[in-house]
Amino acid sequence: MRIVIIDDQKLNIAILEASLRGEPGLQIIGFDQPEAAVAWIKAERPDLVFVDYDMPGMDGLQVVAALRSDTNLDEMPVVMVSGVEMRD
């Protein structure tokens, strides 16, 4: 199974990747540039996408819209994620 993680923060990609890494047979591909991720996804058609909601430039909703506009990807499972930095 191929899973794509899209997040502008590389640390968030690493955290999600680490939480999924224990499952056998997974190939995890991380992108911190949403535009590059969309192009790769359209070419490679992975099994599942995790996308950050709040990113500069192309946000998560725009990523989902770009994927849904492709009839080959309109049923691909996409999980929207979001993280909030806690400050004192």
Side-chain angles (χ1 to χ4, degrees):
M1 173 179 256
R2 293 186 304 163
I3 297 175
V4 172
I5 302 170
I6 308 168
D7 196 306
D8 61 313
Q9 301 293 318
K10 291 181 181 182
L11 178 59
N12 292 342
I13 294 171
I15 291 168
L16 186 50
E17 183 175 353
S19 69
L20 297 170
R21 186 58 66 195
E23 294 298 318
L26 289 184
Q27 178 186 11
I28 302 170
I29 304 97
F31 289 92
D32 62 356
Q33 298 294 321
E35 296 84 359
V38 169
W40 188 91
I41 291 166
K42 286 185 174 189
E44 298 295 326
R45 298 173 56 185
D47 301 296
L48 175 63
V49 175
F50 287 91
V51 61
D52 184 24
Y53 174 78
D54 186 23
M55 297 182 287
M58 184 179 219
D59 67 24
L61 293 176
Q62 292 168 319
V63 169
V64 172
L67 297 179
R68 293 296 181 244
S69 70
D70 184 323
T71 57
N72 293 318
L73 302 173
D74 61 354
E75 294 186 20
M76 174 184 297
V78 176
V79 178
M80 187 81 62
V81 295
S82 183
V84 176
E85 183 178 335
M86 302 300 289
R87 298 181 185 180
D88 293 330

